[in-house]
Amino acid sequence: MKNLEYYMNLDYEIVIKKVSLEDGDGWFAYYKDFKGVMGDGESAIEAIESAQSAFSAFVEVSLTQGDSIPEPHTNEKSLRINISMPENLVKKIDSYIEPLHLSRSAFLQKAAMREIGI
């Protein structure tokens, strides 16, 4: 069934841009496939999280109204990797991301971006 969790776990492209000091500084993020679904923040991660929150609200309203929600259009190829982690860590990640409606992949992408400063 295509519910909020389904759409939140799809690989929609989020565009992130640094905002100039004269335009207010910080970061701006938006969903490439959805006009008006955007967010901002002091860091790239905050901007992404803000955009994801806006997307979640958009999806909830669209589902309630029975509107069609397009699936991602992206030219960037995702690379599937296989990693090993302690089982206890995976369980902690799963319980952390469940209320956020994020996939493990989305969470690990955000953590990696935060760590390397993107």
Side-chain angles (χ1 to χ4, degrees), residues 8 10 54 110:
M8 294 303 293
L10 291 177
K110 286 172 60 170

Side-chain angles (χ1 to χ4, degrees), residues 27-93:
W27 291 83
F28 176 71
Y30 64 92
Y31 276 73
K32 188 174 180 181
D33 294 332
F34 298 94
K35 280 189 174 182
V37 179
M38 62 190 91
D40 65 353
E42 305 237 347
S43 69
I45 295 298
E46 285 181 18
I48 292 168
E49 289 171 347
S50 177
Q52 287 172 325
S53 178
F55 181 66
S56 176
F58 166 79
V59 170
E60 285 182 4
V61 169
S62 296
L63 290 171
T64 300
Q65 295 179 349
D67 295 339
S68 170
I69 303 170
E71 302 227 351
H73 298 110
T74 182
N75 294 330
E76 185 175 350
K77 183 179 177 183
S78 292
L79 179 62
R80 182 176 295 272
I81 61 171
N82 184 19
I83 63 171
S84 297
M85 293 182 167
E87 183 177 357
N88 191 37
L89 177 58
V90 173
K91 287 179 181 179
K92 286 181 180 182
I93 290 170

